Amino acid sequence: MIVPDIIIAIDGFSSTGKSSFAKLMAKELGFLYLDSGALYRGVTLFAQEEGFINKENEISPALEAALEGLDLWFATDNRTFIGERCIEKEIRSMEVSSQVSPIATVPYIRRFVDAKLHELAKGGRVIMDGRDIGTTVFPNAEIKIFMTADPDVRAQRRYDELVMKGENPNLDEVKENLRQRDYIDSHRETSPLSRAKDAFILDNSNMTISEEVAWVKGLIKGKFNIYDD
Ligand code: DC
């Protein structure tokens, strides 16, 4: 399927499968995949390790200046790095998950991440996932999808993901973490999670990833009058 140089924005709640879907879609279309959540997670890990955030989620204002020296980037295989160090495993831990939402409420941190996304997306042909891509970061994205799924299905998915990564999660804690993140993400002042008016809703509680890909390909074909396969 030959697709023009567009930007595809995938937003939605945590653990709705946005990144697995976006990665697969990027592969199928030959697009670049950008995981904006990984950048917020990278900033969170940096803030934790460098002592800019405490257990009460209080963030030191000194973090703003320190971000200037933070070399956060993606390898071509989508792994996230700080300088030479791959931080993929650390940024998916419960420790980072439990402090990433407060970090993502801070306006200067959002500006830091947005600037990086704009820089990386310069060439177009990008699929990006996050919470505010279609509303704030790329409001002119040609295709916008808002993903949602039943909260229990989402908690189970996150739980399975953590088990696969060798962690020993507790399902109730995972549920509670998701509930809190949904709340903070949707109620923060700067760029809260919300559906762009022109975003298509994709509820994937009972869908396989290939069904999702087929559905979105159908949308793209319809929008750009593509008749080939
Ligand atoms: O998609 P994720 O679970 O990896 O995202 C981690 C956190 O980052 C999530 O709790 C909210 C925040 N986030 C955001 O505020 N805006 C984005 N565009 C992406 C993520």
Side-chain angles (χ1 to χ4, degrees):
M1 178 169 150
I2 300 182
V3 178
D5 291 356
I6 58 168
I7 291 183
I8 303 176
I10 314 285
D11 289 304
F13 293 102
S14 300
S15 293
T16 43
K18 295 185 299 292
S19 61
S20 315
F21 165 75
K23 254 185 227 165
L24 182 59
M25 199 71 198
K27 201 168 148 205
E28 298 233 343
L29 301 180
F31 272 37
L32 174 68
Y33 165 62
L34 295 177
D35 175 356
S36 64
L39 297 177
Y40 287 104
R41 289 172 179 275
V43 172
T44 306
L45 180 71
F46 173 73
Q48 289 174 335
E49 292 186 340
E50 302 295 323
F52 291 114
I53 184 167
N54 65 15
K55 294 265 177 285
E56 285 73 46
N57 294 335
E58 288 159 348
I59 300 163
S60 156
L63 175 60
E64 183 167 9
L67 286 181
E68 283 171 33
L70 174 59
D71 179 22
L72 185 59
W73 58 283
F74 294 124
T76 46
D77 60 5
N78 299 317
R79 285 180 309 149
T80 315
F81 281 72
I82 290 181
E84 300 276 284
R85 171 182 168 217
C86 174
I87 53 165
E88 206 43 49
K89 186 164 192 289
E90 292 85 339
I91 61 170
R92 312 289 168 193
S93 67
M94 278 298 280
E95 207 179 343
V96 166
S97 296
S98 66
Q99 291 200 301
V100 64
S101 281
I103 283 280
T105 63
V106 181
Y108 66 78
I109 296 176
R110 301 204 70 82
R111 285 196 296 274
F112 171 84
V113 169
D114 291 359
K116 244 180 216 313
L117 292 171
H118 276 272
E119 175 66 31
L120 293 166
K122 260 188 192 149
R125 300 188 79 75
V126 176
I127 181 162
M128 232 174 284
D129 77 330
R131 303 294 185 291
D132 62 339
I133 306 299
T135 51
T136 306
V137 188
F138 286 97
N140 297 326
E142 287 84 353
I143 297 278
K144 300 181 186 177
I145 308 290
F146 190 82
M147 277 204 179
T148 178
D150 179 86
D152 284 342
V153 172
R154 295 196 282 131
Q156 190 64 50
R157 284 180 188 159
R158 180 66 98 192
Y159 174 89
D160 293 344
E161 209 176 277
L162 290 165
V163 170
M164 287 277 289
K165 287 183 174 147
E167 292 202 27
N168 184 20
N170 169 301
L171 187 58
D172 287 336
E173 270 173 38
V174 173
K175 263 187 204 167
E176 181 53 21
N177 175 258
L178 276 184
R179 201 190 59 72
Q180 282 176 9
R181 283 208 288 151
D182 284 354
Y183 186 86
I184 301 175
D185 293 348
S186 326
H187 290 82
R188 67 174 172 237
E189 226 165 87
T190 314
S191 305
L193 167 66
S194 71
R195 180 175 78 86
K197 284 195 185 70
D198 50 350
F200 295 96
I201 295 179
L202 174 55
D203 181 334
N204 62 19
S205 307
N206 297 303
M207 276 172 101
T208 64
I209 192 159
S210 17
E211 286 169 339
E212 293 175 57
V213 168
W215 189 80
V216 174
K217 276 187 172 172
L219 288 181
I220 298 174
K221 283 184 180 176
K223 175 149 182 159
F224 296 101
N225 297 317
I226 299 170
Y227 298 102
D228 64 340
D229 197 41

mmCIF file of all heavy atoms in Angstrom, residues 155-175:
data_model
loop_
_atom_site.group_PDB
_atom_site.id
_atom_site.type_symbol
_atom_site.label_atom_id
_atom_site.label_comp_id
_atom_site.label_asym_id
_atom_site.label_seq_id
_atom_site.Cartn_x
_atom_site.Cartn_y
_atom_site.Cartn_z
ATOM 1 N N ALA A 155 -5.670 -3.460 32.300
ATOM 2 C CA ALA A 155 -4.856 -3.837 33.469
ATOM 3 C C ALA A 155 -4.232 -5.212 33.237
ATOM 4 O O ALA A 155 -3.051 -5.425 33.544
ATOM 5 C CB ALA A 155 -5.722 -3.840 34.725
ATOM 6 N N GLN A 156 -4.999 -6.116 32.686
ATOM 7 C CA GLN A 156 -4.473 -7.455 32.427
ATOM 8 C C GLN A 156 -3.323 -7.404 31.415
ATOM 9 O O GLN A 156 -2.305 -8.077 31.580
ATOM 10 C CB GLN A 156 -5.603 -8.365 31.913
ATOM 11 C CG GLN A 156 -5.227 -9.842 31.840
ATOM 12 C CD GLN A 156 -4.923 -10.453 33.219
ATOM 13 O OE1 GLN A 156 -5.702 -10.296 34.151
ATOM 14 N NE2 GLN A 156 -3.783 -11.135 33.341
ATOM 15 N N ARG A 157 -3.483 -6.552 30.402
ATOM 16 C CA ARG A 157 -2.418 -6.410 29.400
ATOM 17 C C ARG A 157 -1.135 -5.891 30.032
ATOM 18 O O ARG A 157 -0.054 -6.388 29.762
ATOM 19 C CB ARG A 157 -2.836 -5.420 28.309
ATOM 20 C CG ARG A 157 -3.820 -5.987 27.317
ATOM 21 C CD ARG A 157 -4.153 -4.916 26.299
ATOM 22 N NE ARG A 157 -5.231 -5.343 25.424
ATOM 23 C CZ ARG A 157 -5.990 -4.510 24.737
ATOM 24 N NH1 ARG A 157 -5.790 -3.216 24.804
ATOM 25 N NH2 ARG A 157 -6.937 -4.973 23.954
ATOM 26 N N ARG A 158 -1.261 -4.868 30.875
ATOM 27 C CA ARG A 158 -0.069 -4.288 31.511
ATOM 28 C C ARG A 158 0.575 -5.306 32.444
ATOM 29 O O ARG A 158 1.795 -5.448 32.498
ATOM 30 C CB ARG A 158 -0.433 -3.001 32.259
ATOM 31 C CG ARG A 158 0.723 -2.331 32.934
ATOM 32 C CD ARG A 158 1.769 -1.777 31.959
ATOM 33 N NE ARG A 158 1.602 -0.365 31.718
ATOM 34 C CZ ARG A 158 2.212 0.334 30.767
ATOM 35 N NH1 ARG A 158 3.024 -0.267 29.938
ATOM 36 N NH2 ARG A 158 2.018 1.611 30.630
ATOM 37 N N TYR A 159 -0.283 -6.036 33.171
ATOM 38 C CA TYR A 159 0.194 -7.062 34.093
ATOM 39 C C TYR A 159 1.011 -8.114 33.318
ATOM 40 O O TYR A 159 2.130 -8.460 33.687
ATOM 41 C CB TYR A 159 -1.017 -7.693 34.788
ATOM 42 C CG TYR A 159 -0.700 -8.869 35.673
ATOM 43 C CD1 TYR A 159 -0.379 -8.682 37.017
ATOM 44 C CD2 TYR A 159 -0.730 -10.172 35.173
ATOM 45 C CE1 TYR A 159 -0.079 -9.759 37.838
ATOM 46 C CE2 TYR A 159 -0.431 -11.253 35.979
ATOM 47 C CZ TYR A 159 -0.109 -11.048 37.316
ATOM 48 O OH TYR A 159 0.184 -12.113 38.118
ATOM 49 N N ASP A 160 0.432 -8.611 32.220
ATOM 50 C CA ASP A 160 1.110 -9.633 31.406
ATOM 51 C C ASP A 160 2.446 -9.117 30.872
ATOM 52 O O ASP A 160 3.446 -9.843 30.846
ATOM 53 C CB ASP A 160 0.237 -10.067 30.219
ATOM 54 C CG ASP A 160 -1.020 -10.805 30.681
ATOM 55 O OD1 ASP A 160 -1.072 -11.247 31.846
ATOM 56 O OD2 ASP A 160 -1.969 -10.928 29.862
ATOM 57 N N GLU A 161 2.440 -7.842 30.475
ATOM 58 C CA GLU A 161 3.649 -7.223 29.943
ATOM 59 C C GLU A 161 4.758 -7.211 31.004
ATOM 60 O O GLU A 161 5.906 -7.545 30.728
ATOM 61 C CB GLU A 161 3.277 -5.786 29.598
ATOM 62 C CG GLU A 161 4.025 -5.128 28.476
ATOM 63 C CD GLU A 161 3.427 -3.732 28.244
ATOM 64 O OE1 GLU A 161 2.411 -3.649 27.535
ATOM 65 O OE2 GLU A 161 3.950 -2.762 28.811
ATOM 66 N N LEU A 162 4.378 -6.854 32.250
ATOM 67 C CA LEU A 162 5.369 -6.787 33.333
ATOM 68 C C LEU A 162 5.887 -8.179 33.671
ATOM 69 O O LEU A 162 7.088 -8.366 33.905
ATOM 70 C CB LEU A 162 4.759 -6.117 34.578
ATOM 71 C CG LEU A 162 4.490 -4.614 34.438
ATOM 72 C CD1 LEU A 162 3.572 -4.109 35.556
ATOM 73 C CD2 LEU A 162 5.796 -3.817 34.435
ATOM 74 N N VAL A 163 4.990 -9.175 33.668
ATOM 75 C CA VAL A 163 5.411 -10.558 33.942
ATOM 76 C C VAL A 163 6.412 -11.006 32.878
ATOM 77 O O VAL A 163 7.467 -11.576 33.184
ATOM 78 C CB VAL A 163 4.190 -11.508 33.992
ATOM 79 C CG1 VAL A 163 4.634 -12.969 34.031
ATOM 80 C CG2 VAL A 163 3.316 -11.193 35.206
ATOM 81 N N MET A 164 6.083 -10.698 31.628
ATOM 82 C CA MET A 164 6.973 -11.061 30.513
ATOM 83 C C MET A 164 8.358 -10.452 30.695
ATOM 84 O O MET A 164 9.352 -10.997 30.229
ATOM 85 C CB MET A 164 6.425 -10.525 29.180
ATOM 86 C CG MET A 164 5.216 -11.256 28.654
ATOM 87 S SD MET A 164 5.698 -12.731 27.765
ATOM 88 C CE MET A 164 6.417 -12.005 26.302
ATOM 89 N N LYS A 165 8.385 -9.274 31.348
ATOM 90 C CA LYS A 165 9.671 -8.591 31.526
ATOM 91 C C LYS A 165 10.386 -9.045 32.788
ATOM 92 O O LYS A 165 11.359 -8.444 33.208
ATOM 93 C CB LYS A 165 9.450 -7.083 31.560
ATOM 94 C CG LYS A 165 9.128 -6.603 30.171
ATOM 95 C CD LYS A 165 8.959 -5.133 30.092
ATOM 96 C CE LYS A 165 8.777 -4.767 28.625
ATOM 97 N NZ LYS A 165 7.902 -3.649 28.422
ATOM 98 N N GLY A 166 9.834 -10.073 33.450
ATOM 99 C CA GLY A 166 10.514 -10.638 34.612
ATOM 100 C C GLY A 166 10.190 -9.929 35.922
ATOM 101 O O GLY A 166 10.809 -10.197 36.937
ATOM 102 N N GLU A 167 9.197 -9.005 35.897
ATOM 103 C CA GLU A 167 8.817 -8.354 37.153
ATOM 104 C C GLU A 167 7.774 -9.215 37.868
ATOM 105 O O GLU A 167 7.249 -10.176 37.305
ATOM 106 C CB GLU A 167 8.266 -6.948 36.884
ATOM 107 C CG GLU A 167 9.361 -6.019 36.384
ATOM 108 C CD GLU A 167 9.040 -4.546 36.596
ATOM 109 O OE1 GLU A 167 8.287 -4.219 37.528
ATOM 110 O OE2 GLU A 167 9.572 -3.752 35.812
ATOM 111 N N ASN A 168 7.477 -8.845 39.105
ATOM 112 C CA ASN A 168 6.546 -9.654 39.884
ATOM 113 C C ASN A 168 5.380 -8.760 40.322
ATOM 114 O O ASN A 168 5.261 -8.415 41.497
ATOM 115 C CB ASN A 168 7.316 -10.220 41.091
ATOM 116 C CG ASN A 168 6.465 -11.157 41.900
ATOM 117 O OD1 ASN A 168 5.460 -11.669 41.393
ATOM 118 N ND2 ASN A 168 6.820 -11.353 43.166
ATOM 119 N N PRO A 169 4.519 -8.361 39.366
ATOM 120 C CA PRO A 169 3.507 -7.349 39.690
ATOM 121 C C PRO A 169 2.328 -7.911 40.466
ATOM 122 O O PRO A 169 2.128 -9.128 40.531
ATOM 123 C CB PRO A 169 3.039 -6.873 38.316
ATOM 124 C CG PRO A 169 3.269 -8.036 37.420
ATOM 125 C CD PRO A 169 4.407 -8.825 37.976
ATOM 126 N N ASN A 170 1.550 -6.994 41.035
ATOM 127 C CA ASN A 170 0.329 -7.362 41.732
ATOM 128 C C ASN A 170 -0.798 -6.730 40.912
ATOM 129 O O ASN A 170 -0.775 -5.532 40.637
ATOM 130 C CB ASN A 170 0.431 -6.754 43.144
ATOM 131 C CG ASN A 170 -0.863 -6.826 43.906
ATOM 132 O OD1 ASN A 170 -1.881 -6.296 43.468
ATOM 133 N ND2 ASN A 170 -0.817 -7.451 45.053
ATOM 134 N N LEU A 171 -1.781 -7.547 40.501
ATOM 135 C CA LEU A 171 -2.810 -7.069 39.569
ATOM 136 C C LEU A 171 -3.572 -5.860 40.121
ATOM 137 O O LEU A 171 -3.860 -4.914 39.384
ATOM 138 C CB LEU A 171 -3.774 -8.208 39.200
ATOM 139 C CG LEU A 171 -4.792 -7.896 38.104
ATOM 140 C CD1 LEU A 171 -4.141 -7.458 36.790
ATOM 141 C CD2 LEU A 171 -5.700 -9.095 37.837
ATOM 142 N N ASP A 172 -3.870 -5.879 41.439
ATOM 143 C CA ASP A 172 -4.605 -4.749 42.030
ATOM 144 C C ASP A 172 -3.778 -3.468 41.970
ATOM 145 O O ASP A 172 -4.303 -2.392 41.714
ATOM 146 C CB ASP A 172 -4.987 -5.049 43.485
ATOM 147 C CG ASP A 172 -6.113 -6.081 43.526
ATOM 148 O OD1 ASP A 172 -6.854 -6.180 42.526
ATOM 149 O OD2 ASP A 172 -6.218 -6.806 44.536
ATOM 150 N N GLU A 173 -2.460 -3.630 42.208
ATOM 151 C CA GLU A 173 -1.589 -2.443 42.142
ATOM 152 C C GLU A 173 -1.500 -1.907 40.724
ATOM 153 O O GLU A 173 -1.507 -0.698 40.496
ATOM 154 C CB GLU A 173 -0.175 -2.820 42.598
ATOM 155 C CG GLU A 173 0.049 -2.646 44.091
ATOM 156 C CD GLU A 173 1.402 -3.186 44.529
ATOM 157 O OE1 GLU A 173 2.406 -3.034 43.780
ATOM 158 O OE2 GLU A 173 1.436 -3.790 45.615
ATOM 159 N N VAL A 174 -1.439 -2.822 39.761
ATOM 160 C CA VAL A 174 -1.376 -2.405 38.352
ATOM 161 C C VAL A 174 -2.654 -1.644 37.991
ATOM 162 O O VAL A 174 -2.617 -0.588 37.364
ATOM 163 C CB VAL A 174 -1.188 -3.636 37.427
ATOM 164 C CG1 VAL A 174 -1.300 -3.242 35.963
ATOM 165 C CG2 VAL A 174 0.166 -4.290 37.683
ATOM 166 N N LYS A 175 -3.804 -2.172 38.443
ATOM 167 C CA LYS A 175 -5.098 -1.519 38.183
ATOM 168 C C LYS A 175 -5.132 -0.120 38.782
ATOM 169 O O LYS A 175 -5.559 0.841 38.145
ATOM 170 C CB LYS A 175 -6.233 -2.329 38.827
ATOM 171 C CG LYS A 175 -6.915 -3.245 37.854
ATOM 172 C CD LYS A 175 -8.139 -3.886 38.484
ATOM 173 C CE LYS A 175 -8.404 -5.173 37.731
ATOM 174 N NZ LYS A 175 -9.336 -6.059 38.359
#
